[in-house]
Amino acid sequence: MVKRAWIWLFMWLSCLVSVLHASAGDADPVYRGCVQQCEKTGCVGDECFHHCKLLSDGNPTDGPWYLQEPLYLEWKKWDCRSDCRYHCMVAREEEREKLGDMPVKYHGKWPFRRVYGIQEPVSVALSALNLAINFHGWVSFFILVYYKLPLRPNRKTYYEYTSLWHIYGILAMNSWFWSSVFHSRDVDLTEKLDYSSAVALLGYTLIAAILRAFNVRSEAVRVMVSAPFLAFVTTHILFLNFYQLDYGLNMKVCVTMGILQLLIWAIWAGVTHHPSRWKLWVVVIGGGLAMLLEIYDFPPYKGFVDAHALWHATTIPLTYLWWSFIRDDAEFRTSTLIKKAK
């Protein structure tokens, strides 16, 4: 009954995906007129942008490319269209706030306020913290299995899932790195790298859940179990990058993979006698509740903190607890195998 309720809950939530990408701000004639005027004059009110001042042949008026600032300094700047859209959005939202209207989305995104050229500073900071937590968890796991726990005579670990969690750590850090980059600068390349990394991580964690919960230790069986999932994830990533970046489809795929692994861990935690199963319960329940923040969308408070940023915040303690469970699992399995060997 509980399993069925979880499935129906997340199926209903996934049907709301199309709402998340609704956008009304960029259809506002006042906003559109502002952007068009800015692209012609290079100014929004008293704010003007030198990179909007182009000659008829498209070359910048401030000199040839080799006299301009280097790329690492240009990165913090935005092109003409992006700056026009941003400053017109800010101006329009200030007008709407005076009229008592609620914020609306522009080009599928809430009106965030930049800080030093960073598009979503809170999400960037929280993504960086998640990256740091995963790095700490992976390093502490590495030290535990290779330096604190006994090793086999061939210097390999007793824990059968060591390589599994090494790969997980690398994929998790990669995903949060590109999340930080994407929230710093939302362009086509960073968006695809962020989405692809997240899909790869979710696909792999589903495989890891199956292999650990069903205690799959044979390399041949692991390959047979993993192959169809790897093929599906690879195909989906190629579809997003080279055919169509379908936000609705991607959300449904990610939600489905998330639900499946939560159910696997929940069922396993319910039937196993693992000494640290309570940590698994906290991660499963917390992870399920955190997914609601991806569905319950609301405007950013003061232009900085929205539901997605809060989701990033909730994953920090959950990730710390998750790595703690992995370390406990390594100690538990190592102790069990040594006792059997004796």
Side-chain angles (χ1 to χ4, degrees), residues 2-14 259:
V2 175
K3 179 179 178 180
R4 187 177 298 174
W6 272 78
I7 294 174
W8 279 109
L9 170 64
F10 285 103
M11 284 181 65
W12 175 75
L13 292 174
S14 63
I259 294 169

Side-chain angles (χ1 to χ4, degrees), residues 81-144:
R81 173 170 291 184
S82 297
D83 266 335
C84 285
R85 286 180 174 181
Y86 172 73
H87 288 280
C88 284
M89 175 194 72
V90 171
R92 183 60 180 140
E93 281 302 305
E94 288 176 353
E95 294 174 2
R96 291 175 55 83
E97 186 177 4
K98 291 177 182 177
L99 296 172
D101 296 331
M102 293 294 293
V104 294
K105 288 187 175 181
Y106 296 81
H107 306 283
K109 284 185 169 290
W110 288 114
F112 287 93
R113 289 190 174 272
R114 298 177 188 168
V115 176
Y116 296 109
I118 297 175
Q119 190 170 353
E120 300 175 38
V122 174
S123 290
V124 171
L126 293 173
S127 294
L129 281 174
N130 273 286
L131 171 60
I133 289 294
N134 274 287
F135 178 73
H136 172 270
W138 176 62
V139 169
S140 60
F141 171 73
F142 183 92
I143 293 172
L144 173 70

